[in-house]
Amino acid sequence: MRNVKYVDNFHNYDLSFKHDCEKGELPNYVVIEPRYFDILTAGANDDHPSHDVSEGQKFVKEIYEALRSSPQWNEILFLITYDEHGGFYDHVPTPTGVPSPDDFVGAAPYNFKFDRLGCRVPAIMVSPWIEPGTVLHRPSGPHPTSEFEHSSIPATLKKIFNLKEFLTKRDAWAGSFDMVVNRSTPRTDCPEKLAEPVKMRDSDAKETAKLSDFQEELVQVAAALKGDPLKVVENMTVSSGLKYVEDALSKFNDAKKINGVDDIVSALASGAKASTTFVKNIFS
């Protein structure tokens, strides 16, 4: 995100995604992010506690139904996955001896070498080109120790789009999941609508609540964009944190208009004035 030339790759979900689905204009690769800040006018749908998990499931339902009704449906592989496993225990030991992506070593006293994986996370793949009940347990390569993990996404993209290079040693090691497409003809029995999730939380969003650890990290990323100290998160609430992120990302968006500036820090230092709200491209 430091490079403003990529700003046009970010779009508002409500305005662009559904329109592109309807018109059959989806690009080859789309990443959809949920809303991470729980406010009254737009509840969080990221499944993080203490957010209403039914909102996250409604989000999945909405995306699926937009894809299912698209003229591009027979070209779709919809991947639903998470960055955490949603619990505190996994009976399967976490793999060790995994290639470090870039040989980076974390700070003392832990000196973490990024050479192991964490707990397993869910991954659900939806496509008319997948046989019902298909389950992928382990990859067949490219190495004897390869696993399915988050780097399997860029590894698969490299394979299906015939890209020239891997991003790091990690995705060069990770198993790809292209074999999940295991039909010669697309299915015609995929449901057009999914069941409505049951609301799980009776209370409203707490805009005045303290930021969660994850939300603090999002605000700190915004602080880095603005050149503010990271301690700016102190005493922020959910609503004030979101407003701060809005301001930082709108400046990022506006920086693109400055001729000859490619780096967001340079753009902000030159005094770019915010005129639009880029946060909606990220958190909507």
Side-chain angles (χ1 to χ4, degrees):
M1 285 183 60
R2 284 177 59 92
N3 199 316
V4 296
K5 71 180 181 180
Y6 297 120
V7 71
D8 287 338
N9 292 339
F10 293 87
H11 303 279
N12 181 284
Y13 168 79
D14 289 317
L15 297 180
S16 297
F17 178 73
K18 295 177 183 178
H19 171 272
D20 291 348
C21 284
E22 181 180 354
K23 299 298 183 182
E25 296 176 352
L26 288 171
N28 287 335
Y29 180 59
V30 179
V31 177
I32 302 174
E33 290 283 343
R35 292 189 296 265
Y36 295 113
F37 290 85
D38 199 27
I39 60 174
L40 292 171
T41 55
N45 53 14
D46 61 344
D47 282 346
H48 279 95
S50 58
H51 302 159
D52 189 341
V53 295
S54 67
E55 293 297 324
Q57 297 311 298
K58 287 180 183 177
F59 189 44
V60 172
K61 166 183 164 68
E62 186 176 87
I63 295 169
Y64 170 82
E65 291 176 357
L67 294 172
R68 179 64 181 88
S69 63
S70 172
Q72 290 175 283
W73 170 244
N74 284 341
E75 305 169 40
I76 294 295
L77 173 59
F78 177 28
L79 170 63
I80 308 162
T81 191
Y82 297 80
D83 62 339
E84 293 141 0
H85 66 303
F88 300 96
Y89 175 77
D90 189 344
H91 71 281
V92 176
T94 56
T96 58
V98 176
S100 172
D102 48 18
D103 297 321
F104 179 81
V105 177
Y110 303 107
N111 302 312
F112 187 66
K113 297 180 180 179
F114 298 92
D115 57 356
R116 68 180 303 157
L117 301 181
C119 294
R120 297 176 299 170
V121 296
I124 303 169
M125 300 180 197
V126 182
S127 174
W129 295 93
I130 300 176
E131 287 286 355
T134 298
V135 178
L136 301 182
H137 293 284
R138 295 288 300 273
S140 58
H143 301 279
T145 60
S146 293
E147 297 278 0
F148 289 128
E149 55 113 6
H150 290 102
S151 295
S152 294
I153 298 175
T156 303
L157 291 173
K158 179 184 181 299
K159 190 170 184 179
I160 63 177
F161 291 121
N162 196 28
L163 304 179
K164 292 182 179 180
E165 299 177 350
F166 289 103
L167 297 177
T168 69
K169 289 183 288 186
R170 177 65 64 81
D171 56 300
W173 167 87
S176 64
F177 50 80
D178 51 293
M179 77 290 292
V180 74
V181 178
N182 55 8
R183 289 179 57 93
S184 58
T185 58
R187 292 172 56 186
T188 58
D189 60 343
C190 300
E192 296 183 3
K193 300 288 184 180
L194 300 182
E196 188 70 26
V198 177
K199 186 172 178 59
M200 302 295 292
R201 187 180 68 182
D202 295 330
S203 59
D204 292 327
K206 295 181 173 60
E207 296 183 341
T208 59
K210 181 182 177 182
L211 294 174
S212 68
D213 290 345
F214 175 62
Q215 289 167 338
E216 285 188 355
E217 291 173 357
L218 293 176
V219 172
Q220 287 173 338
V221 170
L225 290 178
K226 293 183 67 176
D228 288 344
L230 299 184
K231 65 180 182 180
V232 71
V233 301
E234 295 178 2
N235 301 318
M236 274 193 180
T237 64
V238 171
S239 59
S240 62
L242 177 57
K243 289 178 181 178
Y244 181 87
V245 173
E246 285 181 343
D247 179 65
L249 293 180
S250 63
K251 286 183 171 63
F252 173 79
N253 187 40
D254 205 56
K256 181 176 181 290
K257 301 175 184 178
I258 301 176
N259 293 330
V261 176
D262 288 329
D263 187 274
I264 184 62
V265 175
S266 300
L268 294 179
S270 67
K273 300 295 184 181
S275 60
T276 57
T277 304
F278 182 59
V279 70
K280 293 180 180 178
N281 297 0
I282 304 293
F283 298 109
S284 298

